[in-house]
Amino acid sequence: MKFLTVLFTVFLMASAAFAGQNVVYKSGDGEYESYYAPVSASAPLVFMIQDWDGITDYEIKRAEMLNKLGYSVFAIDMFGKGIRPTAVEDRKRLTGELYADRAKMRRLLDAGYAKAKELGANVSNAVMMGYCFGGAVALEYARAGAPLKAFIPFHGGLATPAGQDFAKTKGEIVVFHGTADASVSMKEFAGLAEELEKAGIRHEMHTYSGAPHAFTVFGSPAYRADADRKSWLRFTEYLGEIFKK
């Protein structure tokens, strides 16, 4: 009985160590609800940008996976408190509004960054990663000159908007992409690589055969276990490398 009590206590402590919290803050006239899962004040920080359905169990699961590796996670809400669209038309509308208003997109990222800093997260030793829509947002923050060590899109939009470039980018770029992605072409993938090379930005470009758009999303028709496993392995290896610099 004593052994079971100790085991249960250890389980509760481990669960508590990785328990995240919803944090609410303002940006302009809007209220936003991000998800913060800290490990410690000194732990390296991963900013995570949601897919087009908002912060869901998927982002929370990925945050838990990163927590177990010793990384704190701050998932930035890009849509607003309580806005977690389920219909495709709503997802297209919400992401489309931000694609059309890049200044607002950057303000929301700045607000999330500021909230993480206010909460004591280690923003001086941080990267940003994102899935699908979130990958495109991460690259937007890279072009904005955000003071992060790296920007890491998974099956994200890779095209650079007209009038933008990577001249202000401070961190490295690491891209994980599916060769079978019908939403983001290999032409865009190659174009980004050429653009980063020309701009002198350190980068890695990874692509996986047979992997469609959203290949990392557990339980979805697009999920490809092999590509997910390989991309996650390189991603976590890379975190170990970049956080030592």
Side-chain angles (χ1 to χ4, degrees):
M1 179 63 71
K2 183 178 180 181
F3 171 76
L4 291 176
T5 301
V6 170
L7 185 62
F8 183 64
T9 302
V10 170
F11 173 76
L12 288 178
M13 290 174 65
S15 298
F18 300 130
Q21 58 182 305
N22 293 323
V23 293
V24 178
Y25 54 94
K26 294 269 191 179
S27 178
D29 295 330
E31 195 170 48
Y32 294 81
E33 187 173 25
S34 291
Y35 180 79
Y36 181 40
V39 171
S40 68
S42 61
L45 176 66
V46 177
F47 282 104
M48 183 181 295
I49 310 300
Q50 67 195 48
D51 198 346
W52 71 341
D53 52 356
I55 299 172
T56 66
D57 289 344
Y58 177 74
E59 284 78 15
I60 292 172
K61 174 61 177 177
R62 291 293 184 181
E64 290 174 353
M65 292 168 68
L66 287 166
N67 280 170
K68 290 176 182 177
L69 295 173
Y71 304 117
S72 295
V73 177
F74 191 96
I76 299 179
D77 176 15
M78 298 298 294
F79 292 159
K81 183 180 178 182
I83 302 175
R84 303 293 183 262
T86 56
V88 171
E89 56 267 29
D90 291 331
R91 295 172 179 177
K92 287 183 176 180
R93 174 180 56 80
L94 288 164
T95 55
E97 288 172 357
L98 289 174
Y99 283 137
D101 190 348
R102 298 287 176 147
K104 180 178 180 180
M105 184 185 287
R106 294 185 182 195
R107 287 196 301 271
L108 294 177
L109 292 167
D110 286 340
Y113 180 96
K115 186 63 178 180
K117 185 175 182 179
E118 176 190 321
L119 293 171
N122 191 2
V123 297
S124 64
N125 193 24
V127 302
M128 177 173 286
M129 57 95 76
Y131 295 100
C132 296
F133 162 72
V137 174
L139 290 177
E140 182 71 24
Y141 214 34
R143 291 188 295 269
L148 302 178
K149 289 188 169 183
F151 303 87
I152 308 164
F154 282 80
H155 40 80
L158 304 179
T160 300
Q164 289 196 26
D165 57 37
F166 288 88
K168 296 180 180 178
T169 299
K170 295 180 172 65
E172 300 180 4
I173 306 289
V174 179
V175 175
F176 296 101
H177 186 68
T179 312
D181 192 325
S183 299
V184 182
S185 70
M186 287 301 294
K187 183 177 180 180
E188 288 182 26
F189 178 86
L192 176 61
E194 292 173 357
E195 188 176 357
L196 294 174
E197 187 68 24
K198 185 177 179 180
I201 304 299
R202 289 183 59 86
H203 61 280
E204 293 183 13
M205 308 290 290
H206 302 275
T207 186
Y208 302 94
S209 62
H213 195 62
F215 67 83
T216 69
V217 181
F218 308 120
S220 75
Y223 183 69
R224 297 295 184 271
D226 185 59
D228 178 36
R229 178 182 59 80
K230 290 178 179 178
S231 60
W232 188 259
L233 176 61
R234 178 56 197 145
F235 170 57
T236 53
E237 287 176 344
Y238 178 75
L239 292 183
E241 296 165 5
I242 196 68
F243 283 133
K244 288 180 181 178
K245 293 183 179 180

